[in-house]
Amino acid sequence: MIKALANQFGMEFISLSGHEIDKELLDLVPAEVARRYKIVPVYRIENAITIALGDPLDVETVDSLRYVLHAEVSPVVAMPEEIEAALDKFYPATGSTVSSLLEDMTEGSLGKPADVPKLEGEDDVTEADAPIIKLVSLIILEAFRSRASDIHLEPLERKFRVRYRIDGVLREVESPPKRLQSAIISRVKIMANMSISEKRLPQDGRIQINVMGRDLDLRVSSIPSNHGESIVMRILDKENLALGLPKLGFFSDDQQTFERMIQLSDGILLVTGPTGSGKTTTLYACLNHINRPDRKIITVEDPVEYQMSGVNQVHVRTDIGLTFSAALRSILRQAPNIIMIGEIRDLETAEIAVNASLTGHLVFSTLHTNDAPSAITRLIDIGVKPFLVASSVRGIMAQRLVRKICEKCKEPYTPTDFELRLLGPAAEQVRQSQLVHGRGCHDCGHSGYRGRLGIFEIFVINDEVRHMIYERISSAEMRQRGRELGMRTLREDGIRKIISGATTLQEVLRVTMGDAN
């Protein structure tokens, strides 16, 4: 397609593979300019510089480069992956990675304050502070470049371990020396407005920074451990939040069922799953889908993870008495159409949610249960009367996140007999399909996976199920009846996604090992 566009606009298409660039030309185009605009200089004729770019339609970049480089710019077209490879080759990130900085620090070259990647709103730093500040900034920057969702700083007996959670799986990266542990932890706590003198109690904080032109929120949590304070930073990237229902990973039939449920005028819709299974993202996607000027939407969250335009978001603060239940009682007087509760944790919150749903409000919330039918049992165990559960709950969706196969290195794959045996009755269906997996490449960090999608179990509450709730039927019997009525289990939905080439057998088995059926 890029070749066709280049031909349409009369632009030359070149291959950068094996292409060498003169050192003087590289000096004319600074690394920050090349990386910012994703361009590579190819050659120079008098005062005209020929640059390779990946998008033939990007006229603004060419105009900006003429101004930035003070030279005439002539564009040619190259494949985006070749441009990325050329940038890595000709503009190595010397001094701007954690490993290179650690080498410099080991050798005694501690850097100057001017070299420090300054964060938005940060004060000037002294020369003595520069290396640690730069190191912490680079740990955050490399996590962002790696698409990590969390940064884990873990003091162990003889080392200070740094790990990134990428696509839901922890990956260890090069760790700083143990002697820098105290300085790094103190720097993070200062950035998060936490008390650096308090090392015996858990603390929470927040860091707001601008990284590569993107506004990021980092939710910081510290907890004392045997060998020092363990810190986890959750990266909240507003631009990366997939707010469209199709982006969550629904097949069309499940999406239609789910859309019907969230268009109801009243009742409770529950999303269930363990921590880190994408429940909050799904709720935000629901709100975004039904957010219209004629509807008033209020959320009660702990904490508010993402700002949504047109939605009134309340941040729970237990230290001043603003609990879920206290906030819910007040917001009902605000006459909302739709209420989103971050999590139903106790009887008081559950009863207010039920009463709100019975008085004409649509309520979204989450519960920590392993499957959809178990949510009914959980509500009754909390103390909600069965007849109130039956009257208010309209539908329950359990979900898990599985890693998507990298599109760049996807290739055919034959599962082992052992893997097929683990699938049980579904093995024959998988055996007859052509499966794929990721070989591993530079684009996916040699993991074979890039990005995640959901697998879902949607349990629609109809009259028959309501009668079962009245009768206090066990969740196992309710689950069996739900399957007879057409409910797909998490594993069955996962198998559909294996066959479609979206994920692998190992991923679905990993997240559904508790699915006995």
Side-chain angles (χ1 to χ4, degrees):
M1 186 175 70
I2 292 172
K3 287 180 180 177
L5 280 171
N7 186 50
Q8 178 73 20
F9 290 106
M11 296 170 72
E12 183 185 353
F13 184 89
I14 66 166
S15 172
L16 293 177
S17 180
H19 187 85
E20 292 300 324
I21 301 172
D22 188 60
K23 174 76 168 62
E24 291 181 9
L25 182 56
L26 290 172
D27 292 339
L28 287 174
V29 182
E32 59 269 21
V33 172
R35 288 194 173 277
R36 180 182 174 188
Y37 292 102
K38 288 189 168 49
I39 58 101
V40 175
V42 183
Y43 44 80
R44 179 188 179 194
I45 301 173
E46 296 180 353
N47 195 38
I49 300 173
T50 300
I51 57 109
L53 73 168
D55 183 0
L57 300 172
D58 194 358
V59 181
E60 287 183 15
T61 289
V62 178
D63 290 339
S64 299
L65 287 169
R66 289 190 179 114
Y67 175 77
V68 171
L69 301 175
H70 306 292
E72 185 58 38
V73 172
S74 175
V76 294
V77 183
M79 295 297 286
E81 52 265 35
E82 289 189 0
I83 290 176
E84 287 288 345
L87 286 171
D88 291 339
K89 178 181 177 182
F90 296 113
Y91 294 105
T94 306
S96 64
T97 64
V98 172
S99 56
S100 59
L101 180 62
L102 288 174
E103 285 173 16
D104 291 345
M105 293 175 76
T106 307
E107 291 163 8
S109 172
L110 296 180
K112 298 288 186 284
D115 299 331
V116 179
K118 287 193 68 176
L119 304 176
E120 196 173 286
E122 189 170 74
D123 297 327
D124 289 336
V125 295
T126 66
E127 187 163 345
D129 294 331
I132 296 300
I133 292 175
K134 184 173 184 179
L135 180 57
V136 171
S137 299
L138 287 174
I139 287 172
I140 295 171
L141 179 62
E142 285 201 1
F144 174 73
R145 284 175 177 162
S146 305
R147 303 176 296 105
S149 59
D150 303 275
I151 305 169
H152 293 250
L153 307 177
E154 301 166 318
L156 305 178
E157 186 178 3
R158 295 205 173 134
K159 67 182 287 192
F160 182 52
R161 183 166 66 177
V162 177
R163 294 194 288 177
Y164 297 157
R165 189 180 295 278
I166 302 171
D167 293 333
V169 177
L170 281 169
R171 192 178 299 170
E172 188 166 348
V173 296
E174 184 161 358
S175 301
K178 179 77 173 173
R179 62 187 169 82
L180 298 179
Q181 172 183 312
S182 178
I184 291 171
I185 289 173
S186 294
R187 171 60 186 160
V188 172
K189 290 172 75 173
I190 288 169
M191 291 170 69
N193 291 318
M194 294 155 69
S195 170
I196 59 171
S197 59
E198 181 55 79
K199 299 180 180 179
R200 301 163 301 166
L201 294 172
Q203 293 187 69
D204 292 308
R206 201 168 192 129
I207 301 172
Q208 293 186 315
I209 60 173
N210 187 284
V211 175
M212 296 168 66
R214 300 269 281 275
D215 289 323
L216 297 185
D217 276 355
L218 273 69
R219 211 168 71 212
V220 185
S221 167
S222 78
I223 192 166
S225 66
N226 276 354
H227 306 290
E229 289 176 282
S230 174
I231 287 187
V232 175
M233 292 181 272
R234 165 69 61 88
I235 301 173
L236 305 173
D237 181 7
K238 297 167 188 174
E239 294 184 28
N240 260 359
L241 186 63
L243 288 176
L245 287 178
K247 292 182 183 176
L248 298 178
F250 285 109
F251 277 136
S252 57
D253 53 349
D254 281 345
Q255 185 173 329
Q256 287 171 6
T257 303
F258 192 61
E259 283 181 1
R260 279 198 303 273
M261 287 162 60
I262 66 176
Q263 295 290 352
L264 295 170
S265 58
D266 58 19
I268 298 177
L269 175 64
L270 294 171
V271 180
T272 76
T275 302
S277 58
K279 300 186 298 294
T280 305
T281 302
T282 298
L283 289 182
Y284 276 118
C286 294
L287 294 183
N288 190 63
H289 187 76
I290 58 180
N291 185 9
R292 297 204 307 260
D294 61 337
R295 290 174 172 169
K296 184 174 179 73
I297 302 175
I298 302 183
T299 74
V300 186
E301 304 169 66
D302 182 19
V304 174
E305 291 194 3
Y306 298 97
Q307 307 289 337
M308 287 190 73
S309 61
V311 176
N312 303 275
Q313 295 172 276
V314 179
H315 185 141
V316 168
R317 290 188 57 189
T318 51
D319 56 330
I320 59 170
L322 184 59
T323 60
F324 272 109
S325 51
L328 280 170
R329 272 194 296 271
S330 299
I331 67 173
L332 287 175
R333 300 188 197 110
Q334 299 263 320
N337 302 102
I338 297 155
I339 301 167
M340 192 265 267
I341 307 168
E343 183 187 344
I344 293 178
R345 298 179 178 178
D346 51 39
L347 176 58
E348 195 176 6
T349 307
E351 284 181 335
I352 297 171
V354 167
N355 290 333
S357 70
L358 295 174
T359 53
H361 303 85
L362 181 60
V363 180
F364 296 106
S365 190
T366 69
L367 269 179
H368 285 91
T369 62
N370 288 329
D371 62 4
S374 298
I376 299 292
T377 312
R378 177 72 195 280
L379 286 175
I380 295 171
D381 288 344
I382 286 174
V384 184
K385 299 288 190 295
F387 73 91
L388 288 174
V389 175
S391 305
S392 58
V393 179
R394 295 283 183 268
I396 305 162
M397 184 175 78
Q399 71 175 60
R400 299 286 189 280
L401 290 176
V402 294
R403 292 181 290 173
K404 289 195 293 187
I405 298 171
C406 174
E407 293 294 331
K408 297 280 178 69
C409 58
K410 188 181 280 192
E411 64 180 16
Y413 164 72
T414 304
T416 64
D417 289 338
F418 175 69
E419 289 169 337
L420 291 171
R421 277 203 306 276
L422 288 174
L423 284 176
E428 196 55 41
Q429 183 185 1
V430 172
R431 198 193 301 273
Q432 294 171 0
S433 308
Q434 176 60 65
L435 305 190
V436 291
H437 74 160
R439 182 180 64 255
C441 64
H442 175 75
D443 202 51
C444 61
H446 302 284
S447 66
Y449 300 99
R450 186 176 174 86
R452 289 190 288 176
L453 79 160
I455 57 173
F456 307 99
E457 177 177 292
I458 302 175
F459 187 38
V460 181
I461 309 297
N462 59 18
D463 289 338
E464 185 177 343
V465 176
R466 285 192 190 94
H467 182 70
M468 295 173 76
I469 297 171
Y470 285 132
E471 299 292 328
R472 290 186 180 238
I473 302 295
S474 72
S475 60
E477 291 179 71
M478 211 176 294
R479 179 180 175 80
Q480 184 57 41
R481 185 59 188 143
R483 294 188 67 193
E484 291 168 6
L485 293 170
M487 179 187 83
R488 279 189 204 87
T489 66
L490 288 164
R491 178 165 290 184
E492 286 166 348
D493 191 45
I495 288 167
R496 291 204 300 168
K497 279 156 188 168
I498 293 169
I499 293 169
S500 71
T503 189
T504 63
L505 186 58
Q506 294 90 335
E507 274 296 287
V508 172
L509 289 172
R510 178 176 68 87
V511 301
T512 63
M513 284 306 287
D515 190 344
N517 294 314

